[in-house]
Amino acid sequence: MSEAVLYDFWRSSASYRLRIALALAGIDTRPVPVDLPTLRHKTSEHVARNPQGLVPVLEIDGDRFTQSLAILDYLDETRGLGLLPAEPAERAHVRALAHSIAVDVHPVCNVSVAAYAVELSGREEAREMWMRRFIAPGLAAFEALLARWEQAPYCTGAAVSLADICLMPQLYNADRWGADYSDCPRILKVKAALDAHPAFAAAHPDRHAPG
């Protein structure tokens, strides 16, 4: 089997999601950092890998994949991670929970979007205000959606799901930007369990920050 290569940025939420899944699958990768603040993702070299100029990019199984949610589906289907229930309706509900963050909150809190808010306002503090404005209500909605399941101990039960993989990177961003989720007891319970999970610990940005 050819070497798996992961092009990512240590603080990227999408990259963080993928590192979690790769750790769950027990897949060792050769990491290739793509520094977002210095615009390495916009170089011709990286755009040749991903025309969108985004991270992560995963080379595995003789193929090259982009878009974290699509890659998560691929790893789930090929490595049997069990990230989604077998029953179609429950599968849709878990996907909706995960997408409430990965599709609705994360894109508007992307580094480039927040940077544009700073550019338009001419105020550096706009970055933090922007992040809090969208992260906090997004997490509040996630908390309400969690009422469908008993958090025992993870978002949707005893097994790690796609929702857990999408939640933890957003909580990292919430802590980074001071978005308050202290009134979300279900999320706090899940976070405590996932903080202790080896795959989530191995994928944490602090473990992948530049030396």
Side-chain angles (χ1 to χ4, degrees), residues 70-91:
I71 302 171
L72 290 171
D73 279 345
Y74 176 78
L75 292 175
D76 191 24
E77 291 167 4
T78 60
R79 268 64 179 185
L81 299 183
L83 300 181
L84 291 166
E87 198 277 318
E90 280 304 300
R91 196 175 183 88

Side-chain angles (χ1 to χ4, degrees), residues 48-133:
R49 298 183 198 109
N50 180 359
Q52 289 183 285
L54 300 173
V55 291
V57 175
L58 179 65
E59 294 178 353
I60 192 170
D61 300 340
D63 210 335
R64 177 182 289 160
F65 299 96
T66 63
Q67 287 291 340
S68 66
L69 292 179
I71 302 171
L72 290 171
D73 279 345
Y74 176 78
L75 292 175
D76 191 24
E77 291 167 4
T78 60
R79 268 64 179 185
L81 299 183
L83 300 181
L84 291 166
E87 198 277 318
E90 280 304 300
R91 196 175 183 88
H93 285 300
V94 175
R95 270 208 176 101
L97 183 61
H99 289 190
S100 73
I101 286 179
V103 176
D104 293 330
V105 179
H106 171 234
V108 294
C109 294
N110 190 281
V111 170
S112 62
V113 175
Y116 190 56
V118 172
E119 181 183 336
L120 287 177
S121 66
R123 301 166 58 202
E124 178 57 37
E125 62 268 26
R127 191 186 316 271
E128 186 171 307
M129 293 168 62
W130 182 275
M131 296 297 196
R132 291 180 179 180
R133 163 64 182 81

